[in-house]
Amino acid sequence: MAKQVDLLQGTLDMLILKAVSLGPLHGYGILLRIRQISKDALQVPQGSLYPALYRLEHRGWIAAEWGESDNKRKAKYYRLTGAGTKQLQSERRQWKRLSSAIADVLAAGLEEA
């Protein structure tokens, strides 16, 4: 089992958008998808997930509709919208720039050693 890591502030929206970009999911399914994709390294607390889902839906990046879960319960399923696809692309570009800059800082001076 992978060691869990803390989420960086501002990454939860991106992770949710990515999870639902792979197909419609209910809230708990989003938690499981993020955990699965990260090989159990990332675990999103439910208390953080639902306010984020509300925020993303309010911004028009995800849309929700009611359906039935695998265990025959009523569940709200979330899917990515066109605006959400654009936002995910933007966040991916920002993440790549940020992670590249951090990698440069961490590598500074190593090539001289």
Side-chain angles (χ1 to χ4, degrees):
M1 184 169 163
K3 183 180 179 189
Q4 290 182 12
V5 295
D6 293 331
L7 290 178
L8 291 174
Q9 185 174 359
T11 59
L12 180 56
D13 290 358
M14 179 178 56
L15 294 173
I16 293 170
L17 292 174
K18 178 59 184 177
V20 299
S21 76
L22 302 172
L25 291 167
H26 54 75
Y28 188 66
I30 292 169
L31 296 178
L32 294 178
R33 170 101 20 105
I34 291 170
R35 186 183 307 169
Q36 174 193 31
I37 293 170
S38 71
K39 300 177 178 87
D40 290 328
L42 301 175
Q43 297 207 17
V44 178
Q46 286 189 19
S48 299
L49 176 69
Y50 292 99
L53 289 171
Y54 175 80
R55 182 176 59 250
L56 295 175
E57 188 176 7
H58 182 72
R59 291 179 179 164
W61 297 342
I62 60 174
E65 58 186 37
W66 288 98
E68 191 174 279
S69 68
D70 292 338
N71 61 3
K72 306 296 183 205
R73 291 190 173 168
K74 191 174 178 182
K76 200 172 189 182
Y77 281 81
Y78 299 90
R79 64 172 175 77
L80 197 63
T81 63
T85 299
K86 290 178 185 175
Q87 181 63 27
L88 177 57
Q89 291 169 346
S90 173
E91 293 204 22
R92 288 179 70 155
R93 284 190 300 271
Q94 290 174 19
W95 179 257
K96 285 181 182 181
R97 283 194 302 271
L98 175 62
S99 60
S100 177
I102 291 171
D104 290 345
V105 169
L106 293 175
L110 293 179
E111 53 280 336
E112 299 168 6

